[in-house]
Structure formats: C-alpha cells, structure tokens
Amino acid sequence: MDKDKETAVAPENRVVEADSVESEPKPEGNNVASNPTFPDGGLRAWLVVLGVFSLNFATFGIAVSWGAFQAYYEQNTLRGHSSSSIAWIGSLQFSLIFMPGSITGRLLDMGHHKLPLGLASALLILCAFLTAECNRYWHFLLCQGIGIGLACGVIFPPTLGLISQWFHARRATAFGITACGTSLGGIVFPIMIRFLLPSVGFKWTVRILAFVMSFALLLGFLTTATRLPPRHVKRLFGLDVVKSKNVLLYAAASFFAFLGMYAILTFLVISAVVKGIDRNLAFYFVSIMNFASIVGRLTAGILGDKFGPLNVMIPFTVGAALVTYCWPYAHTIPGFVLIAVFYGISFGAYVGLLPSPAASLGPLHSMGERIGFQLSIMSIAILIGSPIAGEIRSLPLGFRGTGAYAGSFIILGAAFMLFTKKAVTKSSIHDLVATKAASECRIRRSKLGHRHQLPLAANYPQLATMGRGPFSASSLKAIDAFGKTLEDVKIRTRTGAFLTFLSIGIILLLTLVEFIDYRSVYLDTNIE
C-alpha cells in the first residue's frame, strides 16, 4: 500500500483532508470565527438593550418583588394559610418564568419573536388586572402564580438570546445593563405597594402596577428585534444540547444555586416583621436589596468582559452564600440593611451574568436552545426551593435552618461552576493542541509537496503513532502526565484556599452582623 495514502480505519479515528481540519466545527466554545460579525454597539443594538431593559422591568421586576406580596398575604388576605403554602404562589411564578425556556429559546432560533412577545404581553396584563379581583388562595395561585408566571416565561428567556445576537465583546456589559431593569422593577414596585396600599387599597394598587407594566411592555415590543436569519429546525424541542458535558455541568450549577437563591428574597420582609421591625419599614428592605443589585449587575458586567463570566460569578456566588448563612442572625434594622445590601450586590452580580456562559458554550445558531435548556432546568429548583425553605422555617430551627439550607445549596452551585470552568479549560487546551498539530502537519505537507490524509485533530495520539504528528508518542505521554500532576496540584491549592477564605468570610460577616445588632440594642437600652 502506498504510504502517502495510508489512513486510519478505526471508526473513532475518522479521516479528513489536511486542508479541512481548521474548518471542522468545535463542539464547545464561541466559534466566533465562523459566525457573522457582531455589531457590539450602534443605535439599533442599544435600542435592543433598552427594550430588553424594559421587558425585564415588567416581568422579572414584578417577580423579585414577591417578598412584599408574601408579607401582605400572610398578614391580611391569606392569613389563614401557612407561610409555605403562600410561598408556592411565588415559587410557581418564579419557576414558570424560566420553565418554557427550552421552547421559547427554540422559537427565537427559528426567527419567531414579535408574535409570542405580543401574545404573552397581553396575557400578562390581563392576569395582573385579574389578580386585583382575587380573594381566595386558588385565585392567587391561578392568576398570579400560573398566569403571570407563564406570560413572563414566554417574554423573558428570549430576551437573553436577543442580547447575544447583537453583542459579543461587550456581551457581559450588555447583560449587566439589561439586568438592571429587573433591579429597577424590584425597587419601584415594592415602594409603590408600600405607599399605595394604605391610601387606595389592594385592588387599585395592583391595577396601577398593571398600568406601569403595560407601558414597559409596549416599549420593549417596539424596540426589540432579532438580527440573525431564521434557523430551520425539524422539531420544536430537541435534545442535541444535552450532549454537551459543559452545558450539563453549568445547568447543574444553576439548579443547585437556585435551590437557595430565592430564600432571602421570599422571606426577608417577613423575617424582619417576626423579629419586631415595623412592617411598613420592612417593605423597604426589598427595595434596598434591589437597589444594591444594580451595583452588582453593572460591576459584574464590566468585570465579566475583562476576566470572563465564570471567573466573576464564582466569588459573587460564594458571597451570596455567606450572606445567606448570616441572614438569620440579624435582629435589628442596621443588621437587616447590611444583609439586604450585601445580598443585593452578590445576587445581582450572579443573575446579571447568568446567561453569558451558556451563550458561549457552543455555536451561535443554537444559542437560544442552550440558554433555554439552562433556564428550564433552573425552573425546577426555583419551583421547589422556596416552599422547602418555608417548611424548614416551621421546624424548631426556624430561619436559622432556612439560612443553613439555602446557603449550603448556593455553595454547591458555586462548586459546580468551578467544575464547569475546569471542563471548559480542558476542552480549550485540547483544541489548542489539536490546532497546533494540524498546523504543523500542513506545514510538513507543503514541504513534501503532496497531500496527506490525517485523523481528526482530537486523535493526536494516533497521529504520533503514525509518524505524522508534531509530537512523538513518548512526548505526548510525558505531557499528559505532567498536565495531570499540575492540574491536581492546582485543584488542591484552589480548594484549600477556597475553604479557608470561606471560613474566614463567614466568621467576619457573622461578627459584623452581631456587632451591629449589639450596638443597636445597647443604644436603644441607653436611650430608654
């Protein structure tokens, strides 16, 4: 057999011409080189940012204001029901915002945006006005839990894909800006509830909120638009995305983190009221938290473009866990304000960058599908997280058990983000070695003056065995052994440092909260 035409016959060692190696699509990564140029700015792109900002304000903004509704329902309309059963309304609303993500993301990839947005906006406004007429538990569950949640679920997930179509280099910054719409809604809606309830009552309070949401939804409908041509798909719901290990790891990280993320958002106000803080003042804690989250979202967006989304999300997620552990030990107004500020910054940074890694874990044409899959997995955790926290609250441990439960799962989410980062880094190193091998083989082919067939770059050990690779078999084994040893050392070092700083952070934050509470109690005693 001619040596020049020798090929590998094993099924896993498929062969391609040397010229086509660089064009072989990568299973992971941005794949930007093969994608159309991103505007990354300009009037049209920033109008899309404005529109997504408005849609986040009307959808996610009302959702993160649930703490104000929870406190009102527990002490007024639904006072005969348990805290856990009332929390199911908010959990259902939260989860339905993300649950349809796999389908709505697929619709966005197919080019369908305006029609679903218009229909869902009409449903959202209708359910908001119907909520004003509710007076029984199942009324609120149907209108506020299912109706508003499902409408927001059709509107919100595609907005993440829209931003990714218009931005790449500034993607994290754009996500941070649009996420501030959620924070603004979380500031405005609780304050409106606080001032309107005593003067106009519950019905007109909710109606006024619905009118504000209508204006924001109209602005979002007029300014948002898709940029890429529709993608032809055979099925509305596909499972291709689950073949990516990196996407599955990141979806698992989001699932575990959101089992605990909404505990403080749901129970901060009622925990303050239970500990003797005036209810009218406790309503402001939600607004303070959402105002602080603006700082977190903007800061994380800027840092994410510079250092990478996961590198920024991991420390902020750990910070959110620390604050969650400390939350049950706050007993006075300064303590609760401190919890609201620190948690708002950490939570805002995490949520602001949440879709960015998923958008970067594959080709652009399936970006909506990946983000939608992540949101759908998250929705399960959001659905059960707050009710579990409410049940734990009813146990003898009370809010301390709730804080321990929520903080622990947030830490687990941060750990899975570390696993995702490691997997993505490993894939990138393999791609780099493969590209180097293909490049040197091309150079050798051009020097020899004839074409060689070679296995795919991912099978570079077989390349070395056949004498066509840039490395010998012994060199490759040495490189692999050294790389594994170095990676083990890095993992042990990082794990030790992570646990050390985590312990120190918990101790310092607990000390700070207890000191503020002690000073407040001491001053109140002296004044009396």
Side-chain angles (χ1 to χ4, degrees), residues 332-335 514-525:
T332 59
I333 294 175
E514 291 294 338
F515 175 74
I516 291 177
D517 288 343
Y518 168 77
R519 286 293 304 272
S520 300
V521 173
Y522 176 77
L523 290 175
D524 291 342
T525 303

Side-chain angles (χ1 to χ4, degrees), residues 239-290:
L239 294 177
D240 294 340
V241 68
V242 301
K243 297 178 181 178
S244 171
K245 178 182 71 174
N246 296 347
V247 174
L248 291 176
L249 281 173
Y250 186 62
S254 303
F255 175 85
F256 288 121
F258 272 94
L259 278 175
M261 277 288 182
Y262 280 111
I264 290 186
L265 284 171
T266 302
F267 296 106
L268 179 65
V269 175
I270 192 64
S271 66
V273 173
V274 167
K275 294 181 180 180
I277 295 176
D278 181 69
R279 182 168 63 93
N280 294 326
L281 181 60
F283 271 102
Y284 286 108
F285 293 152
V286 178
S287 296
I288 292 172
M289 184 188 302
N290 285 290

Side-chain angles (χ1 to χ4, degrees), residues 343-519:
Y343 191 78
I345 293 173
S346 302
F347 176 78
Y350 174 78
V351 176
L353 292 178
L354 183 65
S356 190
S360 303
L361 290 175
L364 183 63
H365 63 79
S366 61
M367 176 175 46
E369 186 179 359
R370 285 192 308 280
I371 295 176
F373 173 77
Q374 175 207 357
L375 297 182
S376 296
I377 296 298
M378 267 170 41
S379 67
I380 302 172
I382 296 172
L383 176 64
I384 63 177
S386 293
I388 292 174
E391 287 294 334
I392 294 175
R393 176 203 163 189
S394 63
L395 299 177
L397 286 174
F399 286 112
R400 294 189 180 187
T402 301
Y405 149 79
S408 299
F409 273 106
I410 296 173
I411 285 290
L412 186 58
F416 268 84
M417 278 190 274
L418 281 172
F419 299 153
T420 306
K421 182 176 180 294
K422 178 188 173 184
V424 172
T425 304
K426 185 177 180 180
S427 300
S428 301
I429 292 174
H430 285 174
D431 289 343
L432 182 63
V433 173
T435 303
K436 179 68 175 176
S439 176
E440 295 198 15
C441 286
R442 182 176 293 101
I443 294 173
R444 181 173 297 184
R445 182 213 61 191
S446 63
K447 289 181 180 179
L448 293 175
H450 52 77
R451 302 177 66 85
H452 285 284
Q453 284 188 318
L454 58 138
L456 285 176
N459 299 313
Y460 60 88
Q462 286 79 9
L463 266 172
T465 304
M466 290 163 40
R468 295 178 183 156
F471 310 111
S472 65
S474 59
S475 298
L476 284 168
K477 290 180 180 178
I479 291 172
D480 287 341
F482 176 75
K484 291 177 180 178
T485 303
L486 185 61
E487 190 66 27
D488 289 341
V489 172
K490 287 182 178 178
I491 291 172
R492 293 192 187 102
T493 304
R494 290 173 182 171
T495 303
F498 173 76
L499 293 176
T500 302
F501 283 113
L502 176 62
S503 302
I504 295 173
I506 292 175
I507 294 171
L508 290 177
L509 200 53
L510 282 171
T511 304
L512 183 59
V513 172
E514 291 294 338
F515 175 74
I516 291 177
D517 288 343
Y518 168 77
R519 286 293 304 272

Side-chain angles (χ1 to χ4, degrees), residues 48-49 52 158-167 171 174-175 178:
V48 172
V49 171
V52 174
T159 63
L160 306 177
L162 286 177
I163 293 298
S164 299
Q165 288 187 10
W166 290 89
F167 291 87
R171 182 178 293 166
F175 275 132
T178 56

Side-chain angles (χ1 to χ4, degrees), residues 107-168:
L107 287 173
L108 179 67
D109 291 337
M110 296 168 62
H112 302 296
H113 169 59
K114 289 291 188 181
L115 180 60
L117 175 60
L119 294 176
S121 298
L123 177 62
L124 176 57
I125 298 306
L126 174 63
C127 290
F129 278 105
L130 288 176
T131 301
E133 308 301 324
C134 296
N135 53 29
R136 294 185 181 180
Y137 178 81
W138 69 269
H139 294 170
F140 290 103
L141 186 67
L142 181 63
C143 294
Q144 194 168 8
I146 298 176
I148 292 180
L150 188 60
C152 292
V154 177
I155 297 171
F156 174 72
T159 63
L160 306 177
L162 286 177
I163 293 298
S164 299
Q165 288 187 10
W166 290 89
F167 291 87
H168 176 67

